[in-house]
Amino acid sequence: MSKKSKDVFVVGMALFAMFFGAGNLIFPPALGLVSGKNWIQCMIGFFLTGIGMPILGILAVSKAGGTINDLGNKINPIFSKILGTVIILAIGPLLAIPRTGATVFEMGVKPIFKNSNSIIFSIIYFGITLFFVIKPSGIVDKIGKFLTPILLLIVSAIMIKGIISPIGTPITTNIEKPFSIGFVEGYQTMDALASIVFGGIIMLSLAEKGYNSKKEQINLTMKAGLIAGIGLAFVYGGLLYIGATSSSIFPTNIHKTNLIIGITEKILGSFGKYGIGLAVSVACLTTSIGLTATVGNYFNNLTNGKLSYKIIVIATTIFSAIFANIGVEQIIKFAVPLLVTVYPIAIVLIIMSLFDNFIKNKGAYSGAVFGALFVSLIDGFSAIGINTSFIGKFMNTLPLSKAGFAWILPAIIGSLISSKLIINKNRHNSI
């Protein structure tokens, strides 16, 4: 194997590990459970936002320059800072970080210590997070590198045995629009948002390996992304199918963490349940540490050092420790309004950035983003229970609205309008 091939494989596996968050394990089985016989349609939708968009996001950021700002500046610098802040808060203290703590409690602690207290656990868990974030140590990276293969090994054992000897058979469920449900559920991985942050890390890694040409970096990123995508498809696809086979055993309203524990116990017995609980626990802790450090660095740089790194990470861990106690299911519900608002914007930016060479008038970016934002905001308001029936009736007339993609046409119209306005403005100024 040539040096370039080895480097691509290493970067691809690193990218897989970055996206393969332990918390993401809970979504595919739950999707399989509710979709039953329609699991393939659900899987395709989930793959698009849970795998396709994150990989495209890495490519888009690499092509744009390597940072959130490079992508967001296609609108303007103020928008870039707002977008970056929303994304960092989403993958940080508002959603992803507290979800790691809640997942560890429900999968790694509660099954073993039945009477454990979530408040006491949160204080300990986020205390450990804070300790390693304030005093970085190489031991965390070593544990993470050691735990990811173990976690993958346990998950592979569950999938292989679950496929060879299914615990049940997929049944017909009451699911409607399985593709759309899978597509939107892929938002919960938050990997497309995270990819906007990870893009710069991948480019830096390639530069350190001696690949300084932007064209070569993008080419190698595509290949590394393909490796990561294959790995994610293997894990997510297998877990989703096993979830579908469990549709004849577990009720559809079972909590996601309880489902993965129940499936593991049926396939591998008590050892499997405790094994995956331990692996997920440590993997979530390393994720929590990495994300907390990312939040601290981002806001420290954003404020030019006016907010100190230490104050930011302390505030992040305190907030996360409090919020984690509402539980995984409630955090997921809380995430919906934010994610349905932000994801269409991220998707529009990612896709347009990939075709940037063909977009002669860059004003198209603003119109497309704000066109998508108009619809996604309505979806966000609806998700939190605010009555939007009047506008909702209009949105229902838009193409693809029944499939959950009402934002696509407004994004296209917005890009065309803003392009036309800017062309006319430039013509007027030149007269």
Side-chain angles (χ1 to χ4, degrees):
M1 187 184 285
S2 66
K3 179 185 181 298
K4 184 176 288 188
S5 297
K6 287 180 181 176
D7 289 339
V8 167
F9 181 76
V10 169
V11 173
M13 290 308 295
L15 188 55
F16 167 78
M18 290 162 75
F19 285 134
F20 183 56
N24 292 353
L25 287 176
I26 64 178
F27 297 110
L31 266 180
L33 176 72
V34 298
S35 59
K37 286 184 176 180
N38 293 309
W39 69 273
I40 292 179
Q41 296 173 56
C42 215
M43 181 181 71
I44 293 171
F46 185 76
F47 276 14
L48 286 175
T49 45
I51 301 176
M53 280 302 154
I55 302 304
L56 293 179
I58 292 286
L59 287 175
V61 173
S62 301
K63 193 175 179 183
T67 68
I68 293 179
N69 291 337
D70 292 317
L71 199 62
N73 283 345
K74 292 179 182 295
I75 310 299
N76 65 53
I78 295 174
F79 174 85
S80 178
K81 289 177 182 177
I82 294 172
L83 178 66
T85 298
V86 171
I87 288 174
I88 292 297
L89 288 175
I91 66 172
L94 282 185
L95 302 173
I97 295 176
R99 194 172 74 188
T100 66
T103 300
V104 171
F105 179 72
E106 293 182 21
M107 287 190 67
V109 176
K110 204 172 179 182
I112 301 172
F113 307 101
K114 303 291 183 184
N115 298 319
S116 50
N117 185 290
S118 66
I119 297 175
I120 295 173
F121 166 76
S122 294
I123 293 171
I124 296 171
Y125 177 86
F126 287 103
I128 295 170
T129 296
L130 183 60
F131 174 79
F132 281 113
V133 168
I134 288 183
K135 296 184 177 180
S137 168
I139 190 172
V140 176
D141 291 332
K142 290 174 183 175
I143 290 173
K145 289 175 183 176
F146 179 67
L147 254 294
T148 297
I150 291 178
L151 180 58
L152 186 57
L153 190 65
I154 295 172
V155 171
S156 298
I158 294 169
M159 291 190 301
I160 292 169
K161 193 169 186 298
I163 292 170
I164 294 173
S165 304
I167 59 176
T169 54
I171 62 172
T172 300
T173 61
N174 295 324
I175 191 172
E176 295 180 7
K177 299 181 288 188
F179 173 82
S180 300
I181 289 173
F183 190 92
V184 174
E185 190 71 7
Y187 294 177
Q188 287 285 356
T189 67
M190 289 182 263
D191 284 342
L193 302 183
S195 70
I196 297 174
V197 178
F198 293 162
I201 298 172
I202 295 301
M203 287 191 73
L204 182 62
S205 175
L206 289 170
E208 289 173 349
K209 294 179 185 297
Y211 305 103
N212 296 312
S213 161
K214 187 175 179 181
K215 184 177 179 181
E216 190 173 33
Q217 286 178 349
I218 293 171
N219 181 46
L220 295 180
T221 299
M222 286 177 64
K223 293 176 180 177
L226 182 62
I227 292 171
I230 291 170
L232 290 171
F234 168 72
V235 173
Y236 290 159
L239 289 173
L240 208 145
Y241 170 72
I242 290 170
T245 64
S246 73
S247 60
S248 58
I249 298 172
F250 297 101
T252 54
N253 62 349
I254 185 174
H255 283 194
K256 292 176 176 62
T257 50
N258 291 338
L259 175 64
I260 188 71
I261 290 171
I263 289 173
T264 304
E265 193 168 22
K266 282 189 174 295
I267 292 174
L268 298 180
S270 295
F271 169 77
K273 180 180 75 170
Y274 296 132
I276 197 170
L278 177 62
V280 164
S281 296
V282 185
C284 277
L285 179 61
T286 57
T287 300
S288 175
I289 292 166
L291 290 177
T292 303
T294 299
V295 172
N297 287 323
Y298 178 81
F299 286 113
N300 179 253
N301 293 331
L302 183 67
T303 60
N304 295 317
K306 291 178 182 177
L307 280 177
S308 75
Y309 172 84
K310 186 175 286 189
I311 288 174
I312 297 166
V313 295
I314 290 172
T316 298
T317 49
I318 291 173
F319 180 86
S320 298
I322 296 169
F323 193 38
N325 285 280
I326 70 173
V328 172
E329 293 293 325
Q330 290 301 120
I331 292 173
I332 290 170
K333 287 178 183 177
F334 179 82
V336 172
L338 177 61
L339 296 180
V340 297
T341 302
V342 176
Y343 248 84
I345 298 168
I347 291 172
V348 167
L349 267 179
I350 287 169
I351 292 175
M352 291 187 74
S353 294
L354 291 173
F355 293 96
D356 185 70
N357 293 341
F358 301 98
I359 301 174
K360 302 303 180 185
N361 190 331
K362 305 308 178 186
Y365 279 92
S366 298
V369 164
F370 289 112
L373 178 60
F374 171 76
V375 175
S376 67
L377 270 175
I378 303 302
D379 288 337
F381 287 139
S382 296
I384 58 177
I386 295 177
N387 191 335
T388 56
S389 57
F390 175 74
I391 301 176
K393 287 178 182 177
F394 165 72
M395 283 174 46
N396 288 335
T397 65
L398 295 174
L400 302 176
S401 61
K402 287 184 171 56
F405 308 121
W407 51 270
I408 291 178
L409 183 61
I412 294 171
I413 293 173
S415 69
L416 294 174
I417 291 173
S418 62
S419 297
K420 186 72 174 174
L421 287 174
I422 290 174
I423 289 172
N424 290 338
K425 182 180 178 181
N426 291 337
R427 283 176 180 170
H428 178 75
N429 290 339
S430 64
I431 295 174

